[in-house]
Amino acid sequence: TATLLLLQLQPINRAMSSRMVLSILLPLLALETVIAFYHPLTVNQLHSSQRQSLLSQPESYRRHATTTSLRSESAENGSSGGLMSMGDSIKSQLASAFSALDESDQYDAVLTGLCAKILDKKSDDLSQVTEALQDPIQLMEEMNARKIKAGERSLMALIDAAVTSQDAKLVGKILSLGARNGRIALFGNLQTDILPLPATRMSKIRCPDGATRTRGERLDSLADIPTDEREKEITSALIVAGILGFCGTVNVLGMEEISPVTNLVWFLIVTVGALDNFYDIIKFAVKNIAQDKVGDLPKELPLSLGSGQVSGTVVKGLNRLLKVDTERECECEAASFFMAYSLGLPCFSFRPNALEAAVLVAESNQGDNDIDPLLTNTGIMKVLAWLMAPVAMESIKHPELIHSDPREAEGFLSRLQRSNLIDNSALWWLQEGPEEVEDMLKWAYTEADLMLRTNIDKVMEISQRLTGGAATVADCVAATEEW
């Protein structure tokens, strides 16, 4: 109103004093305020008349006034109501979407989000990981108290997050929560399938085939634990490779003083290796291609050449150093995981070792955890079966051991004996002598072999997931639980 009045008074504006202009404008502004308070529609009519009055002004002025008005409205909306309304809209959409979910879906969404934060950060400080896991654990406890089942994906995220803590006690607690929730059903379900070792060799026991035998009778009927000489094999392979490398270097550098000797050594090594490993092929080729020129080759060579015994150690060592068999390796890892999970051991090392097994037994004796005490006849047998699982699996599929090591089980018993956390009086096998250790290892190997053969389909399913290269512990749990 004030602007329009000034425009209408434009011809005499210069002659008017500021006091006169204010005396005209102020009453008009007060009048509009009163009208706006009591009659809102009147204000809209006034605004309409202002727009009509504006159209009666010159074109240049209309453009300037319209631009100024739009800028003013945009500034008001951007500085106050625009941002607030956008934020309120986002919040309302989030709240609306979240409230539309079922209660179980709401819990799953929050649990998955908490675990995703832990997995994304990947902190090297394990204490921070343990502290961050307290919120998901409390949420899981609340779900159990309210009898709300966790979803498979949220529980998988929780298991993967727990594994990053590298704490068997914490993993055991989370798996126990999952079991009480009803979602985990097969953790430790095969514990009763492991037969404990009888106290004496004359003690009788019912064997898996249904027959009743003494401990000694059963042990005598069992297959021996596969053995190998991997240190000797690897050492022999390295020595031969070093000699061949030295001979080749001499020829490349042109060291004529010793090159005749190195060439002879190189020729002898290659010839002996070829005859020892490929003599049968050579005889077959000569017999079918060049028998009229060469004649019959002798059936046997001196020094047992041709049987693979001379160079067998070197060849095995080279296989250990150079051969890569991902499928074979994953089979051993799958057997280790399946055995640990089925026996209720919250230690999912895909390559079990003596140190980790000894730490697990020591931690199980501490009262503040969800791990069953393992320093018992049955507990030690479960751990030994877990350590023997890769050996048994590789023996089922292959004639020799490459990825598994049967010495880990014996090393585990030795570590328990040297541990400061365990009293040697609790290690009953020490009083029985070395034969007791041999019986324990042979018994555990047989139990692992029987369990893997019985559940070979499930083990191979886990192995296939591991072969893909992207499987996590939770993926293996899902394969075991058939999620």
Side-chain angles (χ1 to χ4, degrees):
T1 304
T3 305
L4 293 174
L5 181 60
L6 288 175
L7 289 172
Q8 292 169 359
L9 297 176
Q10 192 172 9
I12 59 171
N13 191 29
R14 293 183 180 88
M16 297 174 63
S17 65
S18 58
R19 181 174 297 179
M20 291 176 64
V21 172
L22 289 175
S23 64
I24 297 173
L25 292 180
L26 288 177
L28 290 174
L29 290 174
L31 177 61
E32 184 175 359
T33 303
V34 173
I35 295 173
F37 182 80
Y38 289 102
H39 301 284
L41 291 178
T42 308
V43 175
N44 293 332
Q45 295 172 358
L46 288 174
H47 288 172
S48 178
S49 64
Q50 291 171 8
R51 286 193 294 270
Q52 293 176 358
S53 177
L54 179 62
L55 292 175
S56 64
Q57 302 303 320
E59 179 66 23
S60 60
Y61 174 77
R62 290 205 305 269
R63 288 198 300 267
H64 173 73
T66 304
T67 304
T68 304
S69 175
L70 290 174
R71 287 177 180 175
S72 177
E73 291 178 4
S74 175
E76 290 183 22
N77 291 334
S79 61
S80 57
L83 291 178
M84 291 177 63
S85 60
M86 184 181 296
D88 292 341
S89 175
I90 294 174
K91 291 179 181 179
S92 62
Q93 291 176 9
L94 177 62
S96 177
F98 193 76
S99 61
L101 297 175
D102 295 336
E103 190 176 33
S104 60
D105 293 335
Q106 293 177 356
Y107 272 102
D108 284 338
V110 176
L111 183 59
T112 304
L114 292 174
C115 296
K117 288 179 62 179
I118 299 173
L119 293 171
D120 291 341
K121 287 184 178 180
K122 296 181 180 180
S123 174
D124 295 331
D125 189 352
L126 299 182
S127 61
Q128 292 183 358
V129 178
T130 302
E131 183 179 355
L133 280 167
Q134 298 310 309
D135 289 337
I137 289 175
Q138 292 176 4
L139 188 63
M140 194 70 184
E141 291 173 343
E142 182 178 326
M143 294 173 70
N144 289 346
R146 301 187 62 183
K147 297 181 180 181
I148 297 175
K149 273 199 171 185
E152 296 170 359
R153 292 187 179 276
S154 61
L155 197 54
M156 288 174 65
L158 181 58
I159 291 172
D160 280 336
V163 171
T164 60
S165 69
Q166 302 180 21
D167 188 345
K169 295 186 292 185
L170 191 59
V171 174
K173 181 175 183 178
I174 287 176
L175 291 173
S176 297
L177 289 172
R180 288 195 289 271
N181 185 265
R183 184 61 68 180
I184 291 179
L186 301 180
F187 178 65
N189 68 315
L190 299 181
Q191 296 184 68
T192 56
D193 291 358
I194 293 289
L195 293 179
L197 182 69
T200 65
R201 292 186 67 88
M202 298 306 298
S203 301
K204 292 186 177 182
I205 190 171
R206 188 175 181 84
C207 301
D209 59 0
T212 301
R213 300 185 180 90
T214 64
R215 164 181 153 179
E217 290 173 346
R218 189 191 184 211
L219 286 170
D220 292 338
S221 65
L222 299 179
D224 293 330
I225 300 173
T227 58
D228 57 56
E229 298 177 336
R230 58 188 63 200
E231 293 91 352
K232 181 181 178 181
E233 294 167 1
I234 293 175
T235 302
S236 301
L238 291 175
I239 291 174
V240 171
I243 294 174
L244 291 176
F246 176 76
C247 295
T249 303
V250 169
N251 287 332
V252 171
L253 297 178
M255 302 171 66
E256 299 179 356
E257 297 82 1
I258 60 174
S259 60
V261 178
T262 57
N263 288 336
L264 177 62
V265 172
W266 187 89
F267 175 77
L268 289 175
I269 292 176
V270 173
T271 302
V272 169
L275 290 175
D276 195 37
N277 292 279
F278 305 107
Y279 186 62
D280 291 337
I281 298 176
I282 295 173
K283 286 193 300 181
F284 178 81
V286 170
K287 181 179 179 180
N288 291 277
I289 299 175
Q291 186 176 11
D292 54 342
K293 297 180 180 180
V294 179
D296 292 334
L297 295 177
K299 293 183 179 180
E300 296 182 357
L301 295 176
L303 302 176
S304 298
L305 279 175
S307 62
Q309 297 180 8
V310 176
S311 62
T313 302
V314 176
V315 173
K316 290 180 180 178
L318 290 174
N319 281 336
R320 292 186 183 279
L321 294 172
L322 303 177
K323 189 175 181 180
V324 178
D325 192 340
T326 304
E327 183 178 354
R328 184 173 183 168
E329 185 176 359
C330 290
E331 289 171 354
C332 295
E333 294 177 353
S336 301
F337 173 85
F338 177 80
M339 190 66 64
Y341 192 83
S342 300
L343 297 180
L345 302 176
C347 188
F348 302 140
S349 171
F350 293 119
R351 296 183 181 181
N353 57 77
L355 175 60
E356 191 168 6
V359 171
L360 181 63
V361 171
E363 289 182 344
S364 71
N365 283 345
Q366 302 172 2
D368 57 337
N369 58 65
D370 290 272
I371 307 175
D372 295 333
L374 296 175
L375 196 56
T376 61
N377 186 2
T378 303
I380 293 296
M381 190 55 57
K382 290 195 298 184
V383 177
L384 287 174
W386 171 51
L387 292 170
M388 284 294 186
V391 180
M393 187 65 191
E394 196 167 14
S395 299
I396 292 172
K397 305 278 288 187
H398 307 281
E400 62 177 348
L401 304 179
I402 298 293
H403 294 289
S404 60
D405 190 350
R407 299 168 302 176
E408 291 291 344
E410 186 175 1
F412 158 67
L413 297 178
S414 300
R415 283 186 177 275
L416 290 181
Q417 183 178 348
R418 299 193 303 268
S419 175
N420 297 326
L421 302 176
I422 298 176
D423 189 359
N424 283 351
S425 61
L427 309 179
W428 65 91
W429 60 86
L430 297 180
Q431 287 77 30
E432 302 294 336
E435 292 184 358
E436 184 74 9
V437 173
E438 294 178 4
D439 289 351
M440 292 171 66
L441 297 177
K442 191 174 184 179
W443 194 279
Y445 170 75
T446 303
E447 292 300 311
D449 181 78
L450 288 173
M451 185 173 290
L452 292 175
R453 290 180 185 273
T454 305
N455 300 276
I456 191 67
D457 293 338
K458 191 165 290 187
V459 175
M460 295 307 297
E461 171 66 23
I462 299 173
S463 175
Q464 291 176 5
R465 296 200 181 193
L466 291 173
T467 304
T472 64
V473 171
D475 294 319
C476 297
V477 171
T480 307
E481 295 282 349
E482 297 181 355
W483 288 346

